[in-house]
Amino acid sequence: MSAPRPDGTPKVRGEFAFSSDLSAEGMLWGTTVRSPHARARIDRLDTAAALAIPGVRAVLTIDDVPGRRLFGLEHPDQPVLAEGEARFWGEPVAVVAADDRETARRGADAVVVDYTELEPFTDPTVAEDRGETFRVFDITHGDATGTVVVEGYYETGMQDQAPLGTESGLAIPDGEGGVDLHISTQWLHADHEQVVASLGLEPHQVRLHMAGIGGAFGAREDLSLQVHLCLLALHTGRPVKMVYDRSESFVGHVHRHPARMWYRHEAEPDGTLRRVEAKIILDGGAYASTSSAVLANSAYFAVGPYRCDAVRVHAVAARTNNPPCGAMRGFGAVQSCFGYESQMDRLADALGMDPIELRLKNALAPGDRLPTTGQLIEGSMPVREVIETLRAMPLPADETSGDPRRLPGGTGNTTPASAVVRGVGFAVGIKNLAFSEGFDDYAEVRASLGPDGLTIHTAAAEVGQGLVTVLEQIGRSATGVETVRVVWDTTAQIGSAGSSSASRQSQMSGGAALSACEAVLAEALRRGAGDRLDDAGVWRGDELVTSLADLTADGPIEQLERFRHPRTHPPDEHGRGDVHAGYAVAAHRAVVNVDPELGLIRVVHVDTAQDVGKALNPQAVIGQIEGGIMQGVGLAVMEEMILRDGQVANASFTDYLLPTFADAPTVEAAMIEDPDHWGPFGAKGVGEPPTISSTPAIVAAIRAATGAALTRVPVRAEDIASQWSVASDQ
Amino acid sequence: MIHLTVNGDPHSAEPGPAESLLSMLRNRLGLAGSKDACEQGECGSCSVILDGELVCSCLVLAADTDGSEIRTVEGIADGDDLSRVQEALLAEGGVQCGFCTPGFVVAATHLLDTNPDPSDDDVREALAGNICRCTGYGGIMRALTALREDS
Ligand code: FES
Ligand code: FES
């Protein structure tokens, strides 16, 4: 039985306030003027006509930014508003505040910007040749070779996180030169630091408040409208609200990096993997965001969860004039997993070996070293267990129902049941947990016991994953008090929880909550001279010695804790070192039905076995697994931002296809519990692994069904149909 | 000035000429439960029941709703008592970030009102216009399955 979500009831009643639902007395609406060109010089920016519209209260440009003009999570290189040159299509150039949303939009349309269009760099390979890179990262180790060799070239497309809640927020000036910003974000304190720098204010003058978040998946790691809102509010002296519309959201946040990958695998005839060479180019787009870290992750996991004696990885994050790319669920591990798992299937084929046996033969285990970094694996690494558990799960019955809604193509009624071929594919993936490469990664939590129960104060973002439930559960089980609530403090009231990303919050904020609650319990028992605590108070044996009210009469019993995971280190010049704090693995098996003549696909079923360390809330874990798999389905067969000369051609839910209920496979999930060496109760982060190997498993299944050599995702109808017509002609 | 009934209560409003029902509900009538994830009729997060029909309120012109009867997510629970659809979504893990949830509550309520015993494929088809980015639909399917079995 899983504990219920405390935010569930307001959410089903429609009463939960998301950041787009906020309002304030006298509020203005903000909007953004965006570049219509992928690359252009800004010759003139004239705001007079916009300001002349009745109701328009402010039009601001880069010259109105009083502090640092640049922002960025790792390297501040992105102008708050374009300065001199617009470097991607949709880049913010000016912001407008007006009495209502319509007037703000009219104001934005009236801002005159004269551009000289410049030729955009849109090809990451050309960018690399010109030295336009954010990071070049090489891993070299060992010189073993193998006698059985396979090579392949693979590509992954640009995926969008598409959280249902678009970017939105409300900034309220405090009348004393400071501002309160209510915002949906993955990392309140990282936003705060960047907003403060750009506003040129003292940290205490800017307070960030967590507002209701409608999904994130990496889209809310970087700043979008945070500084814009504060600038407008400070400039007008009035509260300002902004809500991106869907098309704006598609360019208002960073995306999953498209990848081009070349791979060479060498093995012994018995299947022992000896050497992996890879070249990986990620398109980072116009600004750095987290490209450096995403790139490193692609490289660190370029071999997958397998032993290998020799590794050569050359990885490049290119700078282009495409939309900036950054964090998205799986963070670089997704791209290389598609490469190495496609290669493992190819290698199995060349060896005449069962692909699952090949994976088992090379599976990493505790005590091994990760082949790329050489880091000794401490903690749990149940690669064999996830593979064997998944292999033992029964395959679904082969009922290809004649109901057109279940056939590829769905209600389009394009595919007769007789045209359907079925395939099964398998893949395994690995992901690091929490931040790597020596980053000082911590999470702060304050536990406070008062007359009404226990309160857990945090700044950690509840993006939908269920952290709020896990923190409450930890509070209950650590103290014995049943009345527990989670409260989000502002940046002025609590320290950073770090980001709700890298699958880290259950471990990090969960770990901090556990220590804080344990300390509160110990102090309560000491003060009450008892041996047990509950909602009534402190007990000694069967006797209640002090009530909660008496115990906390002089104030709450409080404990602030900062949790840190095992220390990590930057890599050496060969890309080697103890760079990660831990790992999680998962395996996926997909069953697909395909109409090969038309190239139509239905993902029927996805089974998974996932390493969860310890499932703190099984229902929340299953929710992460099912939702994560669906994003893997999306990348495999439909989700891609299409760029033409740097312009997004499908920035809408009409043209960017998300999996619907009709596209959803049934999912069976087995949770492998093998407690890890850190994190509360041995728990591991669970959010990302479902998205990593589900994509290659689905593509392997489509290959098995059709025989088509599919090397790019998302798989397009023509990729299947063209190869099928060639094959059926022969 | 238009007059309409929302969740049983009479309302009057003066919407703009191009204003959507969604905008009127959220910004003029103070009913922010219906959500705006696309404003293009593609995601269903703004679903409401208009004179018995399930519609995307972002696609309906507010001015055209004069005299209509509308049920929004705020009108689904019976006071403090959640409806069985709301209870089932909570019990089966059908709610994560919750942004799609109001739309699903309305669409699933309408589905069960019009087809009390839908098959799996009926559910998938009926709810295919409501996008959820978080749950992968598993928890929502389990919720609907539970309701079907009880009925
Ligand atoms: S907001 Fe109406 S369908 Fe998306
Ligand atoms: S719960 Fe987040 S979109 Fe459905």
Side-chain angles (χ1 to χ4, degrees):
Chain A
M1 182 61 195
S2 294
R5 297 184 68 102
D7 53 351
T9 300
K11 284 176 175 174
V12 295
R13 296 179 70 96
E15 288 169 356
F16 183 87
F18 292 93
S19 53
S20 53
D21 298 328
L22 305 175
S23 61
E25 196 65 39
M27 175 179 93
L28 302 173
W29 280 86
T31 193
T32 311
V33 178
R34 294 179 179 274
S35 168
H37 307 294
R39 183 167 170 237
R41 199 173 59 233
I42 298 172
D43 297 321
R44 189 172 71 102
L45 228 170
D46 189 345
T47 60
L51 282 166
I53 295 175
V56 169
R57 305 289 168 177
V59 183
L60 305 180
T61 70
I62 186 69
D63 292 330
D64 298 299
V65 177
R68 192 176 72 189
R69 293 179 166 210
L70 302 172
F71 71 93
L73 262 181
E74 289 176 357
H75 315 282
D77 70 337
Q78 181 162 357
V80 169
L81 292 162
E83 178 158 27
E85 185 175 313
R87 293 186 173 80
F88 71 94
W89 181 78
E91 179 165 4
V93 174
V95 284
V96 176
D99 290 351
D100 55 59
R101 205 173 180 185
E102 264 324 296
T103 310
R105 282 180 182 152
R106 275 194 291 126
D109 290 343
V111 174
V112 177
V113 191
D114 291 342
Y115 295 99
T116 302
E117 262 192 86
L118 303 168
E119 168 131 23
F121 298 108
T122 56
D123 185 323
T125 312
V126 173
E128 185 201 357
D129 291 343
R130 295 187 183 175
E132 287 288 338
T133 56
F134 295 115
R135 186 176 184 179
V136 179
F137 184 57
D138 286 281
I139 299 175
T140 48
H141 174 69
D143 42 27
T145 57
T147 53
V148 180
V149 179
V150 292
E151 281 187 26
Y153 177 80
Y154 306 93
E155 283 183 20
T156 61
M158 183 184 280
Q159 189 178 20
D160 191 69
Q161 301 87 347
L164 269 219
T166 61
E167 289 72 10
S168 55
L170 174 68
I172 306 175
D174 65 9
E176 293 166 8
V179 62
D180 284 88
L181 177 65
H182 299 258
I183 188 77
S184 47
T185 174
Q186 286 173 250
W187 190 353
L188 205 61
H189 286 75
D191 285 11
H192 181 253
E193 215 177 285
Q194 297 174 77
V195 171
V196 165
S198 288
L199 296 181
L201 293 175
E202 292 300 315
H204 73 269
Q205 293 179 281
V206 182
R207 292 152 304 267
L208 265 60
H209 305 244
M210 192 65 86
I213 304 171
F217 318 113
R220 298 187 210 275
E221 272 226 322
D222 297 72
L223 293 189
S224 51
L225 37 61
Q226 284 84 335
V227 181
H228 302 161
L229 275 171
C230 293
L231 286 172
L232 289 170
L234 289 168
H235 193 88
T236 59
R238 288 172 62 178
V240 180
K241 174 174 174 169
M242 236 193 240
V243 181
Y244 284 180
D245 66 21
R246 179 54 58 184
S247 61
E248 190 171 23
S249 180
F250 270 102
V251 293
H253 58 246
V254 299
H255 311 286
R256 184 181 310 287
H257 291 78
R260 296 176 179 179
M261 300 175 284
W262 169 85
Y263 263 97
R264 179 183 165 98
H265 276 57
E266 301 187 14
E268 300 295 349
D270 70 354
T272 307
L273 192 59
R274 299 302 304 277
R275 182 182 187 89
V276 171
E277 293 185 16
K279 180 169 178 186
I280 300 170
I281 301 185
L282 301 185
D283 184 352
Y287 297 107
S289 179
T290 47
S291 281
S292 295
V294 173
L295 179 81
N297 248 24
S298 289
Y300 289 137
F301 299 110
V303 178
Y306 306 117
R307 284 187 298 270
C308 181
D309 304 322
V311 177
R312 296 273 182 287
V313 180
H314 177 64
V316 177
R319 183 205 319 266
T320 64
N321 293 106
N322 290 322
C325 289
M328 181 172 172
R329 198 175 200 168
F331 204 78
V334 166
Q335 291 90 331
S336 43
C337 186
F338 178 61
Y340 66 73
E341 285 300 87
S342 298
Q343 282 286 102
M344 291 300 274
D345 282 347
R346 217 172 247 199
L347 185 59
D349 197 39
L351 290 161
M353 212 173 155
D354 175 64
I356 298 180
E357 285 302 327
L358 175 65
R359 288 170 169 91
L360 280 172
K361 178 156 192 90
N362 294 288
L364 281 175
D368 285 340
R369 288 178 183 277
L370 201 75
T372 45
T373 58
Q375 183 170 3
L376 185 70
I377 294 161
E378 294 171 77
S380 77
M381 177 65 98
V383 185
R384 285 197 81 86
E385 291 83 341
V386 297
I387 296 175
E388 278 171 346
T389 304
L390 182 57
R391 181 162 67 170
M393 287 166 75
L395 267 172
D398 189 359
E399 31 60 55
T400 303
S401 112
D403 188 328
R405 295 178 296 186
R406 301 303 298 151
L407 294 169
T411 46
N413 222 346
T414 44
T415 298
S418 59
V420 171
V421 291
R422 171 165 283 200
V424 179
F426 193 93
V428 190
I430 179 169
K431 177 69 183 47
N432 62 315
L433 301 172
F435 294 158
S436 303
E437 296 190 322
F439 187 86
D440 179 23
D441 191 12
Y442 66 86
E444 191 168 300
V445 163
R446 179 188 292 108
S448 171
L449 183 68
D452 304 328
L454 183 73
T455 308
I456 294 174
H457 298 262
T458 177
E462 165 60 61
V463 294
Q465 79 276 45
L467 177 70
V468 58
T469 326
V470 165
L471 293 179
E472 283 193 1
Q473 282 178 274
I474 288 173
R476 289 194 194 101
S477 62
T479 60
V481 174
E482 284 299 311
T483 312
V484 180
R485 64 190 187 116
V486 174
V487 166
W488 281 274
D489 281 354
T490 70
T491 45
Q493 296 165 314
I494 197 157
S496 179
S499 183
S500 288
S501 65
S503 302
R504 64 185 278 295
Q505 283 299 14
S506 289
Q507 283 176 290
M508 299 295 297
S509 288
L514 182 59
S515 336
C517 291
E518 283 173 346
V520 164
L521 172 70
E523 176 60 15
L525 297 183
R526 193 192 64 75
R527 280 199 209 170
D531 51 32
R532 184 166 64 84
L533 180 70
D534 69 12
D535 296 68
V538 174
W539 297 73
R540 194 182 313 120
D542 290 342
E543 182 200 353
L544 182 68
V545 281
T546 321
S547 70
L548 273 195
D550 286 343
L551 190 70
T552 59
D554 298 335
I557 300 177
E558 288 203 328
Q559 180 72 25
L560 181 77
E561 283 288 337
R562 268 192 181 189
F563 183 87
R564 284 185 160 77
H565 59 64
R567 192 147 171 219
T568 65
H569 302 275
D572 68 15
E573 72 274 24
H574 302 294
R576 311 272 293 170
D578 293 343
V579 302
H580 293 132
Y583 313 90
V585 294
H588 291 88
R589 183 180 64 198
V591 179
V592 301
N593 282 346
V594 186
D595 176 342
E597 201 172 340
L598 298 177
L600 300 175
I601 302 157
R602 170 176 291 283
V603 183
V604 177
H605 202 86
V606 177
D607 292 316
T608 181
Q610 184 171 328
D611 155 33
V612 301
K614 164 93 184 114
L616 298 181
N617 185 309
Q619 187 178 76
V621 174
I622 295 292
Q624 287 299 298
I625 289 176
E626 290 174 331
I629 286 175
M630 197 63 71
Q631 293 188 340
V633 170
L635 180 60
V637 301
M638 63 179 79
E639 283 184 45
E640 182 173 14
M641 290 184 53
I642 307 288
L643 299 181
R644 295 201 187 103
D645 294 329
Q647 305 200 355
V648 182
N650 58 341
S652 74
F653 277 179
T654 312
D655 298 320
Y656 180 91
L657 301 181
L658 290 163
T660 70
F661 224 127
D663 303 303
T666 51
V667 169
E668 291 293 334
M671 292 182 268
I672 307 300
E673 296 200 304
D674 176 4
D676 206 6
H677 57 312
W678 62 274
F681 313 107
K684 287 186 177 185
V686 298
E688 293 171 289
T691 307
I692 296 171
S693 39
S694 46
T695 298
I698 291 162
V699 178
I702 304 169
R703 288 190 198 111
T706 62
L710 304 169
T711 57
R712 104 179 271 289
V713 286
V715 174
R716 298 160 298 199
E718 61 265 35
D719 299 337
I720 299 171
S722 60
Q723 297 186 47
W724 182 261
S725 58
V726 170
S728 49
D729 283 351
Q730 282 166 358
Chain B
M1 182 70 80
I2 63 167
H3 305 279
L4 66 170
T5 308
V6 185
N7 303 324
D9 299 329
H11 285 272
S12 308
E14 190 134 27
E19 186 166 341
S20 68
L21 172 58
L22 175 62
S23 162
M24 182 175 74
L25 289 170
R26 288 178 57 82
N27 301 323
R28 293 186 199 274
L29 306 186
L31 294 167
S34 307
K35 299 299 171 213
D36 50 351
C38 76
E39 296 183 67
Q40 282 187 319
E42 296 288 347
C43 74
S45 62
C46 63
S47 301
V48 302
I49 300 168
L50 168 66
D51 293 330
E53 297 284 324
L54 183 70
V55 298
C56 294
S57 61
C58 68
L59 293 184
V60 174
L61 214 51
D64 285 349
T65 61
D66 194 16
S68 315
E69 184 126 3
I70 290 167
R71 194 170 176 207
T72 70
V73 64
E74 288 94 343
I76 301 287
D78 180 7
D80 286 344
D81 295 335
L82 296 180
S83 75
R84 60 193 198 115
V85 168
Q86 291 169 319
E87 292 283 8
L89 284 170
L90 289 180
E92 300 295 340
V95 179
Q96 290 187 19
C97 83
F99 206 86
C100 69
T101 304
F104 268 102
V105 166
V106 172
T109 302
H110 183 262
L111 168 65
L112 294 175
D113 285 352
T114 49
N115 179 5
D117 190 22
S119 70
D120 262 27
D121 288 333
D122 293 340
V123 169
R124 287 169 181 278
E125 186 177 22
L127 299 181
N130 290 74
I131 289 173
C132 177
R133 191 54 161 165
C134 299
T135 64
Y137 309 101
I140 300 171
M141 193 63 183
R142 283 189 289 281
L144 274 281
T145 304
L147 291 175
R148 202 160 69 210
E149 282 164 359
D150 306 335
S151 64

